[in-house]
Amino acid sequence: MGHTSKAVEESGELIPDPVFVQSLRESGVILLTWLACFVWTFTYCTRYGYPTDVDPTAFPTVLGMPSWVVWGIVLPWSLANVVTLVFCFGFMQDAALEPDDMSEQASGVSSSADVGGEL
Amino acid sequence: MNSALATFCIYTIAVFGLAALSSRLLKSRSFLNEYFLGSRGLGFWALALTFAATSASGGTFTGYPALIYTHGWTLALWIASYMVFPICTMGLLGKRINQVARKTGAITVPDILRDRFESRSFGLLATALLIFFTCVNLVGQFKAGSVILKTLLKSNESFVWLTAVVADSVSGVPWLGGADPGYLICLFCFGVAVILYTTWGGFHAVVWTDVMQGVVMVTGVVIMLPLALYQVGGMQQATQDLAAMVPPRQAELILIGPADQTCRSGTWLRLEDRVFRTSAALDMTKPERKVTAIEIVDTGDLERIAASTDIVFSAEFSIEQVVETLPAAFPGNERPGTYVSAPGPSATDADGFLPMSLAFSMFFFWAIAGTGQPGSMVRLMAFKDSKTLRYSIATVAIYYSLIYFPLVIIFCCARLLLPGMEVEADRVMPQMAITLTANAGVGALAGVLVAAPFAAVMSTVDSFLLMISSSVVRDVYQRNINPNASEAQLKKLSYICTVVVGAGVVVGAINPPQYLQYLIVYVGSGLAACFLAPMTLALYWKRTTARGAFGSMLIGFLSHLSLYIGGWLQGDGFQKPLRPFSLDPVVIGLASAFLAGIVISLLTPPPPDQAIVEKFFYTRRSKNAD
């Protein structure tokens, strides 16, 4: 952060939970990935995968598979795997998941076991 | 004992060995935390494979292959959103749910919701829905496990003898009498095995067996793929043959045969040069001698049947009259090409198997609805650290790519190797395993291949059994009835619960529904409609109120269920729910749940206890912050 003295001055100040903030940002990227895959696959497959007539003797294939499957599903699936690897090893951040105050965490039986608030 | 059965027995013994090891761990740690959550210490291999194996249920190796066999290449589009399944289902909630579970000491999904909103009634609603859906799913999973086991055992002499004994014993007994005796034996054996090792070893047993089962599953697929491609003459040949294929006709036949016998479902019959296979059993003692069947009309299939030594036409029964024979509802004109294109053939639906609107819903269903599965959420509560999560997402992405797409290829090939399996489509996976290995002269491998779907079923069943017992013990008993229960009491109750639930599901699975995959889809989408919106709002929106979350869950459940009830009232049965705007119930259920959660939260006063909001959404800046 580069503001050590200020941080010390503000010790005890409430800040948004970094895991919450990180997770929210990462969720946005994940949803965009889903959307991109959806648009590609759905657009291509509905355009080329629903023919009104098929000539069995001249059916288009790539690598022996129906071509609409290769371009509409196999290719985006492969790219989605690449994006997933980049996301996991290049974008997603590590974070301390244990609560700061260990007293908050009960071992096995929660301290809030007697919570009885109603709606 | 044949070699396939021997391989399979070794696998089962290994499962029990792992349960024994896990049981030793239980003795040295806090019981509840260890029994239900593995002390939150899962490493990345364990998390990746237990997550993958639990998600890949009996549906993956039973219902899904049945659908591929019946509808062809369109299933590649049906399953396409698995390309982003791992990143969505593990990444959207993973880190955050793990953190919140640690903060509250939560062991179950209802635990988190209850603590987040400080609402006992919300926790109980979540528990009730979780138990309802999970029990329904378990019925389907037990059926799948038993069907697989029966396929493996059916040629074993001892099993044949035992089947005859059981058939005599249960004949005329209500509930049991209508069931296939071989299936009953397998259901009993499967049920006892799973209940025993799950009860004995708890979460760690489940996770360790999941790891082994995960390896078995991918090994099975990797072995089957080249065998299938080789036996159909390669990918290009298979696609060409499928492109020329037309689906079977639906027929009604009147049979003649011995008056004291039953004509089994799956019996092959011939009338001159026409070939039929019955799709239901016919009791010849009854005056009505009409039975449903399929008529094989594809010339390629007819040639394969003529050349087959495995297909035997019935000598006892013959066709007196063909009452009716109709082409599939789609394509109505019996044109070729439907097995290699969307929407795929359908016997009952004039729009085909996968119309575009349903393709849209399925892309949404797998990846987004998959995020809302409590079984997956529990695993996300149990990993060790965020690095484990990152490595696991990457591993599961590769793992699923090796399973789900290759299965489409394998079972498109199955159409060319196993004609007429439409009448018992749920059995196509084990039958394919046996056929492939027998043709290749490596019968022993059948054990490994059949163990793959069996592993998928087991890994889901054990997780779900544990989830139900944790809900009863933790969410109902400890948190509502006896908060001061001793560890010994909780331990005893956990064991009893696992056994009782397992036994109840075995009874429920005696007469199960035919198409497993429809049941899996109903439960999967129902759980998502109930849990995804409240959990997402609980983790990511601090303005969410208890009433908002409660309303979200309830409306998600009711809107989803009402569409299934509507379909049933229209006479379409459980397989065809209502689809407003051509959208699947899961889309409607999720949209309703999110909308209800947001609107009700905004209409109700903000969360009264600021400390709760601070606990879940804020942290204190460290004194040593830099």
Side-chain angles (χ1 to χ4, degrees), chain B residues 484-548:
Chain B
N484 300 316
S486 68
E487 183 143 299
Q489 283 175 309
L490 294 173
K491 193 172 181 175
K492 192 174 169 187
L493 189 63
S494 301
Y495 289 153
I496 292 172
C497 252
T498 312
V499 172
V500 168
V501 171
V505 173
V506 167
V507 173
I510 287 173
N511 288 301
Q514 189 191 358
Y515 273 95
L516 175 66
Q517 194 62 32
Y518 291 108
L519 202 63
I520 306 283
V521 169
Y522 166 71
V523 170
S525 59
L527 281 170
C530 292
F531 284 89
L532 181 59
M535 184 57 84
T536 306
L537 294 172
L539 297 179
Y540 287 115
W541 192 36
K542 53 193 162 205
R543 178 65 176 77
T544 314
T545 63
R547 285 173 196 268

Coordinates of all heavy atoms in Angstrom, one line a residue, chain B residues 484-548:
Chain B
N484 N -26.7 -29.2 23.8 CA -25.6 -29.7 24.7 C -25.3 -31.2 24.5 O -24.8 -31.8 25.4 CB -26.0 -29.4 26.2 CG -26.2 -27.9 26.4 OD1 -25.4 -27.1 25.9 ND2 -27.3 -27.6 27.0
A485 N -25.7 -31.7 23.4 CA -25.5 -33.2 23.2 C -24.0 -33.5 23.3 O -23.1 -32.7 22.8 CB -26.0 -33.6 21.8
S486 N -23.7 -34.6 23.9 CA -22.3 -35.0 24.1 C -21.8 -35.6 22.8 O -22.6 -36.0 21.9 CB -22.2 -36.1 25.2 OG -22.8 -37.3 24.7
E487 N -20.5 -35.7 22.7 CA -19.9 -36.2 21.4 C -20.3 -37.7 21.2 O -20.6 -38.1 20.1 CB -18.4 -36.2 21.5 CG -17.7 -36.7 20.3 CD -16.4 -35.9 19.9 OE1 -16.5 -34.6 19.7 OE2 -15.4 -36.5 19.9
A488 N -20.5 -38.4 22.3 CA -20.9 -39.8 22.2 C -22.3 -39.9 21.6 O -22.6 -40.8 20.8 CB -20.8 -40.5 23.5
Q489 N -23.2 -39.0 22.1 CA -24.6 -39.0 21.6 C -24.6 -38.7 20.1 O -25.3 -39.3 19.3 CB -25.4 -38.0 22.4 CG -25.8 -38.4 23.7 CD -26.5 -37.3 24.5 OE1 -26.0 -36.2 24.6 NE2 -27.7 -37.6 25.0
L490 N -23.8 -37.7 19.7 CA -23.8 -37.2 18.3 C -23.3 -38.3 17.4 O -23.8 -38.6 16.3 CB -23.0 -36.0 18.2 CG -23.5 -34.7 18.9 CD1 -22.5 -33.6 18.8 CD2 -24.8 -34.3 18.2
K491 N -22.3 -39.0 17.9 CA -21.6 -40.1 17.2 C -22.7 -41.2 16.9 O -22.8 -41.7 15.8 CB -20.5 -40.6 18.0 CG -19.5 -41.5 17.2 CD -18.3 -41.8 18.1 CE -17.3 -42.7 17.4 NZ -16.1 -42.8 18.2
K492 N -23.3 -41.6 18.0 CA -24.3 -42.7 17.9 C -25.4 -42.3 16.9 O -25.8 -43.1 16.0 CB -24.9 -43.0 19.3 CG -25.7 -44.2 19.4 CD -26.0 -44.4 20.9 CE -27.1 -45.6 21.0 NZ -27.6 -45.6 22.4
L493 N -25.9 -41.1 17.1 CA -27.0 -40.6 16.2 C -26.6 -40.5 14.7 O -27.3 -40.9 13.8 CB -27.5 -39.2 16.7 CG -28.8 -38.7 16.0 CD1 -29.9 -39.7 16.3 CD2 -29.1 -37.3 16.5
S494 N -25.3 -40.1 14.5 CA -24.8 -40.0 13.1 C -24.8 -41.4 12.5 O -25.2 -41.6 11.3 CB -23.4 -39.5 13.1 OG -23.4 -38.2 13.7
Y495 N -24.3 -42.4 13.2 CA -24.3 -43.8 12.7 C -25.7 -44.3 12.4 O -26.0 -44.8 11.3 CB -23.6 -44.7 13.7 CG -22.1 -44.5 13.8 CD1 -21.4 -44.8 14.9 CD2 -21.4 -44.0 12.7 CE1 -20.0 -44.6 15.1 CE2 -20.0 -43.8 12.8 CZ -19.3 -44.1 14.0 OH -18.0 -43.9 14.1
I496 N -26.6 -44.0 13.4 CA -28.0 -44.5 13.2 C -28.6 -43.9 12.0 O -29.3 -44.5 11.2 CB -28.8 -44.3 14.5 CG1 -28.3 -45.2 15.6 CG2 -30.3 -44.5 14.2 CD1 -28.9 -44.9 17.0
C497 N -28.4 -42.6 11.9 CA -29.1 -41.8 10.8 C -28.6 -42.3 9.4 O -29.4 -42.5 8.5 CB -28.6 -40.4 10.9 SG -29.9 -39.3 11.4
T498 N -27.3 -42.5 9.3 CA -26.8 -43.0 8.0 C -27.4 -44.3 7.6 O -27.8 -44.5 6.5 CB -25.2 -43.1 8.1 OG1 -24.7 -41.9 8.7 CG2 -24.6 -43.2 6.7
V499 N -27.5 -45.2 8.6 CA -28.0 -46.5 8.3 C -29.5 -46.4 8.0 O -30.0 -47.0 7.0 CB -27.8 -47.5 9.5 CG1 -28.5 -48.8 9.3 CG2 -26.3 -47.7 9.7
V500 N -30.3 -45.7 8.8 CA -31.7 -45.6 8.6 C -32.1 -45.0 7.2 O -32.9 -45.5 6.5 CB -32.4 -44.8 9.7 CG1 -33.8 -44.5 9.4 CG2 -32.3 -45.6 11.0
V501 N -31.4 -43.9 6.9 CA -31.6 -43.2 5.6 C -31.3 -44.1 4.5 O -32.1 -44.3 3.5 CB -30.8 -41.9 5.5 CG1 -30.9 -41.3 4.1 CG2 -31.3 -40.9 6.5
G502 N -30.1 -44.8 4.6 CA -29.7 -45.7 3.5 C -30.8 -46.8 3.3 O -31.2 -47.1 2.2
A503 N -31.2 -47.4 4.4 CA -32.2 -48.5 4.3 C -33.5 -48.0 3.7 O -34.1 -48.7 2.9 CB -32.4 -49.1 5.7
G504 N -33.9 -46.8 4.1 CA -35.2 -46.2 3.6 C -35.1 -46.0 2.1 O -36.0 -46.3 1.3
V505 N -33.9 -45.6 1.6 CA -33.8 -45.4 0.2 C -33.8 -46.7 -0.6 O -34.3 -46.8 -1.7 CB -32.5 -44.6 -0.1 CG1 -32.2 -44.5 -1.6 CG2 -32.6 -43.2 0.5
V506 N -33.2 -47.7 0.0 CA -33.2 -49.1 -0.6 C -34.6 -49.5 -0.8 O -35.0 -50.0 -1.9 CB -32.4 -50.1 0.3 CG1 -32.7 -51.5 -0.2 CG2 -31.0 -49.8 0.2
V507 N -35.5 -49.3 0.2 CA -36.9 -49.6 0.0 C -37.5 -48.8 -1.1 O -38.3 -49.3 -1.9 CB -37.6 -49.4 1.4 CG1 -39.2 -49.6 1.2 CG2 -37.1 -50.4 2.4
G508 N -37.2 -47.5 -1.1 CA -37.8 -46.6 -2.1 C -37.4 -47.0 -3.5 O -38.0 -46.7 -4.5
A509 N -36.2 -47.6 -3.6 CA -35.6 -48.0 -5.0 C -36.1 -49.3 -5.5 O -35.7 -49.7 -6.6 CB -34.1 -47.9 -4.9
I510 N -36.9 -50.0 -4.8 CA -37.4 -51.3 -5.2 C -38.2 -51.2 -6.5 O -38.0 -52.0 -7.4 CB -38.2 -52.0 -4.1 CG1 -37.3 -52.4 -3.0 CG2 -38.9 -53.2 -4.6 CD1 -37.9 -53.0 -1.7
N511 N -39.0 -50.2 -6.6 CA -39.7 -50.0 -7.9 C -39.5 -48.6 -8.4 O -40.3 -47.7 -8.2 CB -41.3 -50.2 -7.7 CG -41.6 -51.6 -7.4 OD1 -41.4 -52.5 -8.3 ND2 -42.2 -51.9 -6.3
P512 N -38.3 -48.4 -9.0 CA -37.9 -47.0 -9.3 C -38.4 -46.6 -10.7 O -38.9 -47.4 -11.5 CB -36.3 -47.2 -9.4 CG -36.2 -48.6 -9.9 CD -37.3 -49.4 -9.4
P513 N -38.3 -45.3 -11.0 CA -38.7 -44.8 -12.3 C -37.8 -45.3 -13.4 O -36.7 -45.7 -13.1 CB -38.6 -43.3 -12.2 CG -37.6 -43.1 -11.1 CD -37.7 -44.2 -10.2
Q514 N -38.3 -45.3 -14.7 CA -37.5 -45.9 -15.7 C -36.2 -45.1 -16.1 O -35.1 -45.6 -16.2 CB -38.4 -46.1 -17.0 CG -37.6 -47.0 -18.0 CD -38.4 -47.0 -19.3 OE1 -39.4 -46.4 -19.5 NE2 -37.8 -47.7 -20.3
Y515 N -36.5 -43.8 -16.4 CA -35.4 -43.0 -17.0 C -34.7 -42.3 -15.8 O -35.2 -41.3 -15.3 CB -35.8 -42.0 -18.0 CG -35.9 -42.6 -19.4 CD1 -37.0 -43.2 -19.9 CD2 -34.7 -42.6 -20.2 CE1 -37.1 -43.7 -21.2 CE2 -34.7 -43.1 -21.5 CZ -35.9 -43.7 -22.0 OH -35.9 -44.2 -23.2
L516 N -33.5 -42.7 -15.4 CA -32.8 -42.2 -14.3 C -32.4 -40.7 -14.6 O -32.5 -39.9 -13.7 CB -31.5 -43.0 -14.1 CG -30.5 -42.4 -13.1 CD1 -31.1 -42.5 -11.7 CD2 -29.2 -43.2 -13.1
Q517 N -32.1 -40.4 -15.8 CA -31.6 -39.0 -16.1 C -32.6 -38.0 -15.8 O -32.3 -36.9 -15.4 CB -31.1 -38.9 -17.5 CG -30.2 -37.7 -17.8 CD -28.9 -37.7 -17.0 OE1 -28.4 -38.7 -16.7 NE2 -28.5 -36.5 -16.6
Y518 N -33.9 -38.3 -16.0 CA -34.9 -37.3 -15.8 C -35.0 -37.0 -14.3 O -35.3 -35.8 -13.9 CB -36.3 -37.8 -16.3 CG -36.3 -37.8 -17.8 CD1 -36.3 -39.0 -18.5 CD2 -36.4 -36.6 -18.5 CE1 -36.4 -39.0 -19.9 CE2 -36.4 -36.6 -19.9 CZ -36.4 -37.9 -20.6 OH -36.4 -37.9 -22.0
L519 N -34.8 -38.0 -13.5 CA -34.8 -37.8 -12.0 C -33.7 -37.0 -11.6 O -33.8 -36.0 -10.8 CB -34.8 -39.2 -11.3 CG -35.3 -39.3 -9.9 CD1 -36.8 -38.9 -9.9 CD2 -35.1 -40.7 -9.4
I520 N -32.5 -37.2 -12.1 CA -31.3 -36.5 -11.8 C -31.5 -35.0 -12.2 O -31.1 -34.1 -11.4 CB -30.1 -37.0 -12.6 CG1 -29.9 -38.5 -12.3 CG2 -28.8 -36.2 -12.2 CD1 -29.4 -39.0 -11.1
V521 N -32.1 -34.8 -13.4 CA -32.3 -33.4 -13.8 C -33.3 -32.7 -12.9 O -33.1 -31.5 -12.5 CB -32.8 -33.4 -15.3 CG1 -33.3 -32.0 -15.7 CG2 -31.7 -33.8 -16.2
Y522 N -34.3 -33.4 -12.5 CA -35.3 -32.8 -11.6 C -34.7 -32.4 -10.3 O -34.8 -31.2 -9.8 CB -36.5 -33.7 -11.3 CG -37.3 -33.3 -10.1 CD1 -38.1 -32.1 -10.3 CD2 -37.3 -33.9 -8.9 CE1 -38.9 -31.7 -9.2 CE2 -38.0 -33.4 -7.8 CZ -38.8 -32.3 -8.0 OH -39.5 -31.9 -6.9
V523 N -33.9 -33.3 -9.7 CA -33.3 -33.0 -8.4 C -32.2 -31.9 -8.5 O -32.2 -31.0 -7.7 CB -32.7 -34.3 -7.8 CG1 -31.8 -34.0 -6.6 CG2 -33.8 -35.3 -7.4
G524 N -31.4 -32.0 -9.5 CA -30.3 -31.1 -9.7 C -30.9 -29.7 -9.9 O -30.4 -28.7 -9.3
S525 N -31.9 -29.6 -10.7 CA -32.5 -28.2 -11.0 C -33.2 -27.7 -9.8 O -33.2 -26.5 -9.4 CB -33.3 -28.2 -12.2 OG -34.4 -29.1 -12.1
G526 N -33.9 -28.6 -9.1 CA -34.6 -28.2 -7.9 C -33.7 -27.7 -6.8 O -34.0 -26.7 -6.1
L527 N -32.6 -28.4 -6.6 CA -31.7 -28.0 -5.5 C -31.1 -26.6 -5.9 O -30.9 -25.7 -5.0 CB -30.5 -29.0 -5.4 CG -30.8 -30.2 -4.6 CD1 -29.7 -31.3 -4.8 CD2 -31.0 -29.9 -3.1
A528 N -30.8 -26.4 -7.2 CA -30.2 -25.1 -7.6 C -31.3 -24.0 -7.4 O -30.9 -22.9 -6.9 CB -29.8 -25.2 -9.1
A529 N -32.5 -24.3 -7.7 CA -33.6 -23.3 -7.6 C -33.8 -22.9 -6.1 O -34.1 -21.8 -5.8 CB -34.9 -23.8 -8.2
C530 N -33.5 -23.9 -5.2 CA -33.7 -23.6 -3.8 C -32.4 -22.9 -3.2 O -32.6 -22.0 -2.3 CB -34.0 -24.9 -3.0 SG -35.5 -25.6 -3.4
F531 N -31.2 -23.4 -3.6 CA -30.1 -23.0 -2.8 C -29.2 -21.9 -3.4 O -28.5 -21.2 -2.7 CB -29.2 -24.2 -2.5 CG -29.8 -25.1 -1.4 CD1 -30.7 -26.1 -1.6 CD2 -29.5 -24.8 0.0 CE1 -31.3 -26.8 -0.6 CE2 -30.1 -25.6 1.0 CZ -31.0 -26.6 0.7
L532 N -29.1 -21.9 -4.7 CA -28.1 -21.0 -5.4 C -28.4 -19.5 -5.0 O -27.5 -18.8 -4.6 CB -28.1 -21.1 -6.9 CG -27.1 -20.3 -7.6 CD1 -25.7 -20.5 -7.1 CD2 -27.2 -20.5 -9.1
A533 N -29.6 -19.1 -5.2 CA -29.9 -17.6 -4.9 C -29.7 -17.2 -3.5 O -29.0 -16.3 -3.2 CB -31.3 -17.3 -5.4
P534 N -30.3 -18.0 -2.5 CA -30.0 -17.5 -1.1 C -28.5 -17.6 -0.7 O -28.1 -16.7 0.0 CB -30.8 -18.5 -0.3 CG -31.6 -19.4 -1.2 CD -31.2 -19.1 -2.6
M535 N -27.8 -18.6 -1.2 CA -26.4 -18.7 -0.8 C -25.6 -17.6 -1.5 O -24.7 -16.9 -0.8 CB -25.8 -20.1 -1.2 CG -24.4 -20.3 -0.8 SD -24.2 -20.1 1.0 CE -24.6 -21.8 1.6
T536 N -25.9 -17.3 -2.8 CA -25.1 -16.2 -3.4 C -25.4 -14.9 -2.8 O -24.5 -14.1 -2.5 CB -25.5 -16.2 -4.9 OG1 -25.4 -17.4 -5.5 CG2 -24.7 -15.1 -5.7
L537 N -26.7 -14.6 -2.5 CA -27.0 -13.4 -1.8 C -26.4 -13.3 -0.4 O -26.0 -12.2 0.0 CB -28.6 -13.2 -1.8 CG -29.3 -13.1 -3.1 CD1 -30.8 -13.2 -3.0 CD2 -28.9 -11.8 -3.8
A538 N -26.4 -14.4 0.3 CA -25.9 -14.4 1.6 C -24.4 -14.1 1.6 O -23.9 -13.4 2.5 CB -26.1 -15.8 2.2
L539 N -23.7 -14.6 0.6 CA -22.2 -14.4 0.5 C -21.8 -13.1 -0.1 O -20.7 -12.5 0.3 CB -21.6 -15.6 -0.3 CG -21.7 -17.0 0.3 CD1 -21.1 -18.0 -0.7 CD2 -21.1 -17.1 1.6
Y540 N -22.6 -12.6 -1.0 CA -22.1 -11.4 -1.8 C -22.9 -10.1 -1.6 O -22.5 -9.1 -2.1 CB -22.1 -11.8 -3.2 CG -21.0 -12.7 -3.6 CD1 -21.2 -14.0 -4.0 CD2 -19.6 -12.3 -3.4 CE1 -20.2 -14.9 -4.3 CE2 -18.6 -13.2 -3.7 CZ -18.8 -14.5 -4.2 OH -17.8 -15.3 -4.5
W541 N -24.1 -10.2 -0.9 CA -24.9 -9.0 -0.8 C -25.2 -8.7 0.6 O -26.1 -9.4 1.2 CB -26.2 -9.1 -1.7 CG -26.9 -7.8 -1.9 CD1 -26.3 -6.5 -2.0 CD2 -28.3 -7.6 -1.9 NE1 -27.3 -5.6 -2.2 CE2 -28.5 -6.2 -2.1 CE3 -29.4 -8.5 -1.8 CZ2 -29.8 -5.7 -2.3 CZ3 -30.7 -7.9 -2.0 CH2 -30.9 -6.5 -2.2
K542 N -24.6 -7.7 1.2 CA -24.8 -7.5 2.6 C -26.2 -7.0 3.0 O -26.7 -7.1 4.1 CB -23.8 -6.6 3.2 CG -23.6 -5.2 2.5 CD -22.3 -4.6 3.0 CE -21.9 -3.5 2.0 NZ -20.5 -3.2 2.0
R543 N -26.9 -6.4 2.0 CA -28.3 -5.9 2.3 C -29.3 -7.0 2.3 O -30.5 -6.8 2.7 CB -28.6 -5.0 1.1 CG -30.0 -4.3 1.2 CD -30.2 -3.4 2.4 NE -31.5 -2.8 2.4 CZ -32.7 -3.4 2.7 NH1 -32.7 -4.6 3.1 NH2 -33.8 -2.7 2.7
T544 N -28.9 -8.3 2.0 CA -29.9 -9.4 2.1 C -30.4 -9.6 3.5 O -29.7 -9.6 4.4 CB -29.2 -10.7 1.6 OG1 -28.5 -10.5 0.5 CG2 -30.2 -11.8 1.4
T545 N -31.8 -9.7 3.6 CA -32.3 -9.9 4.9 C -32.8 -11.4 5.0 O -32.8 -12.1 4.0 CB -33.6 -9.0 5.0 OG1 -34.6 -9.4 4.1 CG2 -33.3 -7.5 4.9
A546 N -33.1 -11.7 6.3 CA -33.5 -13.1 6.5 C -34.8 -13.4 5.8 O -34.9 -14.5 5.2 CB -33.7 -13.3 8.0
R547 N -35.7 -12.5 5.8 CA -36.9 -12.7 5.0 C -36.7 -12.8 3.5 O -37.3 -13.6 2.9 CB -37.9 -11.5 5.3 CG -38.6 -11.6 6.7 CD -39.4 -10.3 6.9 NE -39.7 -10.1 8.3 CZ -40.8 -10.6 8.9 NH1 -41.7 -11.2 8.2 NH2 -41.0 -10.4 10.2
G548 N -35.8 -12.0 3.0 CA -35.5 -12.1 1.6 C -34.9 -13.4 1.2 O -35.3 -14.0 0.2

